[in-house]
Amino acid sequence: MSQPVHAGEGAGETPAGEPPLPDALKAYVSQGGWRSNLEKAGVTFTFTLYGDALGNPSGGVQQGAGFSGRLGAIIDGDLEKLAGWTGASFHASIHGIYGYGLSANNLDNLMVVSSVEAPNAIRLFNLWVEQKLNSETSLRVGQYTAAQEFLVSKTAGLFVNSTFGWPVLPAQDLPGGGPAYPEAALGARLLYKPNDRIILRAALFDGDPAGSGVGNPVTRDPYGLAFRLGDPAFMIAEVVYKYNQDRPDYSSDNLQQEGDSARTYAQNAQGSPLDRSLPGTVKFGAWHIAGSYADPRFNSQGGLLAISGGQPLEHGGNFSTYGAIDQMIWRAEAGGGRGLSFFLRATAAPADRNLIDLYADAGLNFQGPLESRPDDALGLALAYGRVSPQVADYDRELDAMTKVPKPIRDFEAAIELTYRCQLAKNWTLQPDFQYIVHPGANIANPQIANGVTPIPNAAVLGFRMVMKF
């Protein structure tokens, strides 16, 4: 009896004998042997393509469709091979971002429904050098993002909504959204791995990557070349504990920041056929940013802003704490890659200087739901971001003052159901459904002149295509 061909494993060619599209594209962009010659010298090129076609048939500011795309060029270099620099490597990436984003144009929500949605631009993203100081310690210096390593759940990387990568709390509370896609920042990161189970890492970034101003930060730094250093410092640190992993993965946890399909713990921690343990990871961390941050409710004299006006009360610094767990809860066979994993994250920040003071998300990721398709993945996730009670009180007091019953901001939530289908190696198609509750955290619909009707809950349908070549 013949065995089924698993997508992305045994199927190297299409039924007609032609190579899969990623292989054909790789051959096309590698003509003349330039890539193989560079690889021999120590430089590797990777191209990635994301395409998210999403529409909201109901709810939102208006109904319609959007498309968010990103073409990435990623360069990795072995400096020991190139220049005799022992233990050093470099990394760079450029993103071509294009499309008509659904969140920006149709939903006006906080949890952006596509993690690649951003203003159209061709921009530098990563540019850093990493030095191994010894077998346990490394130092990275240059331009990159905290969202690639910190406050990240690898299990949540399956999902399309941006909040399952870099959560909505730091995205809304930090200047310019913090050092996260699409705006990287200058910084330095120290990583210490005393053994195969524990990782300690800490980083220091410029706290305002694009600089202050109105509108989207990308429009203030359209090419990713701001290279700012004079802003209040942003510091983040976390401790990571990995268990039941024969081959722990210490690479970037949020691979979608640059363009790669997320891998579950079932895939990362495949063990021997006798291994029945269930792998997992626990993280605890915190961030702090210097500078001054305005109180959303009180003025500098202690009065209510909604009633007395004046300058807001200023608070010194801002901070947050967080925790996350990724845990495999069922494995189809000992040591195998098929299985069910869950994630849970929570983070909190002071209510007196932030829009979002509490965030939590959770979800399930079923790798290989069908035995004949072990590289597919099925996922269900929920995210909740609470508006600070101080902000809600300001809205109530303003309503009482103006006697106009405008909506009171309270929370935004997102539910996502998705299925990632492996078409071929390095090529996936992912049908996706999302439901956004209280878009904009229950703000007035700008399309309705009365200013008192909130944006209705939105249903979002579409798909994601990811290719690496």
Side-chain angles (χ1 to χ4, degrees), residues 73 75 91 99 135 211 279 288 293 305-306 374 387 391-392 399 404 408 432 459:
I75 308 166
H91 180 90
S135 60
H288 177 272
Y293 298 88
L305 285 168
V387 167
V391 173
D399 283 4
V404 178
I408 307 299
D432 191 73

Side-chain angles (χ1 to χ4, degrees), residues 36-286:
S36 59
N37 291 335
L38 283 173
E39 286 176 7
K40 291 174 184 176
V43 180
T44 302
F45 274 81
T46 304
F47 298 95
T48 62
L49 179 64
Y50 269 65
D52 290 352
L54 301 167
N56 62 312
S58 66
V61 174
Q62 60 185 1
Q63 287 75 56
F67 178 82
S68 296
R70 184 182 76 203
L71 176 63
I74 304 168
I75 308 166
D76 287 286
D78 182 342
L79 290 174
E80 186 167 0
K81 221 174 189 183
L82 286 166
W85 186 351
T86 304
S89 61
F90 76 85
H91 180 90
S93 58
I94 298 172
H95 284 158
I97 305 168
Y98 55 93
Y100 179 87
L102 193 71
S103 282
N105 293 286
N106 285 29
L107 304 179
D108 207 8
N109 68 319
L110 304 179
M111 300 179 187
V112 180
V113 293
S114 165
S115 60
V116 300
E117 179 178 330
N120 293 355
I122 297 176
R123 55 187 294 112
L124 177 69
F125 188 55
N126 274 313
L127 181 63
W128 49 258
V129 172
E130 185 160 358
Q131 174 68 56
K132 290 183 179 179
L133 303 178
N134 53 47
S135 60
E136 296 87 22
T137 312
S138 66
L139 176 66
R140 179 181 297 177
V141 178
Q143 178 163 289
Y144 59 106
T145 72
Q148 286 167 259
E149 296 180 301
F150 296 88
L151 188 49
V152 174
S153 160
K154 184 159 286 188
T155 306
L158 168 68
F159 298 95
V160 174
N161 192 294
S162 64
T163 198
F164 296 113
W166 186 240
V168 73
L169 185 147
Q172 290 296 317
D173 294 348
L174 289 170
Y181 173 85
E183 190 69 34
L186 289 178
R189 186 270 283 148
L190 185 67
L191 182 146
Y192 175 59
K193 181 172 67 69
N195 55 51
D196 287 339
R197 293 187 175 186
I198 296 173
I199 305 172
L200 303 173
R201 52 189 166 212
L204 175 67
F205 293 91
D206 181 90
D208 196 354
S212 60
V214 297
N216 195 299
V218 177
T219 63
R220 302 195 293 275
D221 178 26
Y223 307 111
L225 301 174
F227 300 134
R228 296 177 64 87
L229 277 175
D231 303 296
F234 172 70
M235 295 161 282
I236 187 167
E238 71 178 26
V239 56
V240 182
Y241 178 68
K242 295 174 178 277
Y243 51 91
N244 295 338
Q245 298 185 43
D246 287 345
R247 295 181 297 172
D249 180 9
Y250 299 107
S251 64
S252 169
D253 285 331
N254 191 356
L255 298 174
Q256 291 184 15
Q257 286 276 300
E258 287 204 313
D260 199 353
S261 298
R263 294 174 61 82
T264 67
Y265 279 93
Q267 292 172 299
N268 284 325
Q270 292 185 42
S272 71
L274 300 178
D275 181 12
R276 298 185 178 276
S277 60
L278 298 175
T281 298
V282 177
K283 295 182 178 182
F284 293 101

